[in-house]
């Protein structure tokens, strides 16, 4: 067996780089959630992280580890979502130029937020491409070659995975023993980092991944014993619309994650409503995946202490309002 891409030491190194820069996000409790599930539930609120999602942890950790030469040339990312904002903000904080390659139909709010982080920083820009007529990989390769920039992928990178794992490390260091940890799964950067941290601190913990029903590529991959590719899934969980887990994340998931379960879009909507109404928390659809598995009874942990990562809170307001108004 080959070694996994990251170890606990990498997560400790990430925690040191992030100290005083990333927010130590709050751990939230809810009597209603505890009553409904019969468990003691500890929500790690990464919707309160800088730029609104845990992705800041991995993005900043990756850029902070750059050599002086990499810092001068800058970082490149393809993303229309939270990874774009994570790289743009991290670059600004570290004085590293960033180029973010985004599709022409990216949500206006995400484009504006990304540009706002880059504002006034020379060498930083958003490059727009037409997803129907242009190849984003070719665009990225051209820019990377011309400017010598380092590409930072959204999940399949050791520093990204290690940075994401600091969310679970903080949670466990704050609340102590947990029987289970529930984590959403897109490409698997968050769950792989969190699993390495959690299993090191609490070897007996059960780590469960949660995917959208329509996009259960990781669940299929675990069953098949190899990485399965699926078509772009149709789900409101836009942060988990990945088609396959990563070459580096999948072996970690195979080794340390007990199982991957799925939840439906309707279950995500009910969970968003729960967070808004009961806990006064704005959680984006993808951010509700892990919580929905517990609140909707897909996972049962009566009498247990359960950690749940709320991964982010970035959602366009008109869409959010519509989902809150959907009859549950
Ligand atoms: C990116 C993202 C995910 C999925 O994370 P992976 O590391 O790709 O598994 C989940 N929730 C939110 C809010 C995200 O931005």
């Amino acid at each position: 067996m080959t070694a996994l891409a990251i170890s606990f030491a990498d997560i400790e190194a990430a925690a040191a780089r992030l100290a005083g820069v990333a927010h130590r996000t709050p751990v939230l409790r809810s009597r209603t959630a505890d009553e409904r599930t019969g468990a003691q539930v500890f929500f790690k609120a990464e919707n309160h992280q800088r730029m609104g999602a845990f992705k800041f942890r991995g993005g900043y950790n990756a850029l902070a580890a750059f050599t002086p030469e990499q810092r001068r040339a800058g970082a490149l990312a393809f993303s229309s979502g939270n990874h774009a904002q994570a790289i743009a903000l991290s670059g600004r904080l570290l004085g590293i130029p960033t180029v973010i390659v985004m599709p022409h139909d990216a949500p206006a709010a995400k484009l504006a937020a990304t540009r706002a982080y880059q504002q006034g920083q020379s060498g930083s820009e958003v490059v727009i491409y037409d997803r129907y007529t242009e190849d984003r990989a070719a665009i990225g390769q051209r820019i990377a070659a011309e400017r010598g920039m380092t590409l930072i992928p959204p999940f399949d990178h050791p520093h990204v995975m290690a940075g994401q794992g600091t969310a679970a490390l903080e949670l466990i260091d704050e609340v102590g023993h947990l029987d289970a940890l529930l984590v959403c799964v897109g490409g698997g950067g968050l769950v792989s980092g969190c699993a390495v941290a959690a299993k090191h601190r609490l070897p007996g913990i059960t780590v469960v991944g949660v995917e959208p029903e329509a996009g259960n590529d990781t669940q299929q991959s675990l069953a098949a014993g190899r990485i399965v590719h699926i078509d772009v899934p149709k789900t409101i969980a836009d942060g988990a619309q990945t088609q396959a887990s990563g070459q580096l994340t999948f072996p970690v998931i195979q080794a340390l994650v007990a199982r991957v379960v799925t939840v439906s879009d309707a279950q995500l909507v009910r969970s968003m409503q729960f967070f808004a109404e009961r806990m006064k928390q704005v959680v984006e659809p993808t951010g509700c995946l892990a919580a929905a598995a517990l609140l909707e009874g897909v996972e049962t942990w009566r009498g247990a202490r359960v950690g749940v990562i709320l991964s982010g809170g970035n959602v366009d307001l008109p869409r959010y309002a519509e989902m809150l108004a959907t009859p549950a």
Side-chain angles (χ1 to χ4, degrees), residues 113-303:
T114 304
R115 283 198 166 127
Y117 288 133
Q118 295 176 320
Q119 200 167 25
Q121 199 186 10
S122 83
S124 286
E125 59 177 316
V126 173
V127 172
I128 303 287
Y129 73 101
D130 182 334
R131 72 160 105 210
Y132 302 105
T133 61
E134 294 175 288
D135 175 17
R136 73 169 198 182
I139 295 170
Q141 274 157 18
R142 179 174 52 76
I143 296 169
E146 279 170 11
R147 307 187 198 178
M149 293 182 131
T150 304
L151 174 70
I152 301 298
F155 51 84
D156 215 21
H157 184 292
H159 289 142
V160 172
M161 294 158 66
Q164 320 306 32
T166 61
L169 183 65
E170 281 178 18
L171 170 63
I172 292 166
D173 286 349
E174 182 166 334
V175 307
H177 180 78
L178 290 175
D179 299 292
L181 178 66
L182 308 189
V183 187
C184 54
V185 182
L190 180 64
V191 75
S192 60
C194 285
V196 170
K199 285 286 196 181
H200 179 89
R201 278 283 195 264
L202 304 167
I205 196 170
T206 300
V207 180
V208 178
V210 186
E211 287 188 304
E213 213 168 71
N216 69 335
D217 58 281
T218 305
Q219 191 183 48
Q220 290 186 40
S221 299
L222 285 176
R226 61 176 174 81
I227 299 172
V228 171
H229 292 253
I230 62 168
D231 290 338
V232 177
K234 254 191 86 121
T235 167
I236 60 171
D238 54 353
Q241 279 179 313
T242 37
Q243 293 174 263
S245 45
Q247 302 288 338
L248 302 181
T249 59
F250 184 61
V252 179
I253 295 170
Q254 270 185 312
L256 303 178
V257 175
R259 59 183 166 277
V260 170
V261 300
T262 65
V263 299
S264 68
D265 280 5
Q267 289 175 317
L268 289 178
V269 167
R270 281 200 293 274
S271 300
M272 287 178 77
Q273 292 171 346
F274 170 82
F275 285 116
E277 188 172 33
R278 298 304 184 107
M279 295 182 67
K280 322 306 168 195
Q281 296 295 312
V282 177
V283 186
E284 64 184 275
T286 318
C288 288
L289 280 165
L294 194 63
L295 294 170
E296 295 284 327
V298 176
E299 281 286 315
T300 331
W301 287 92
R302 297 208 153 269

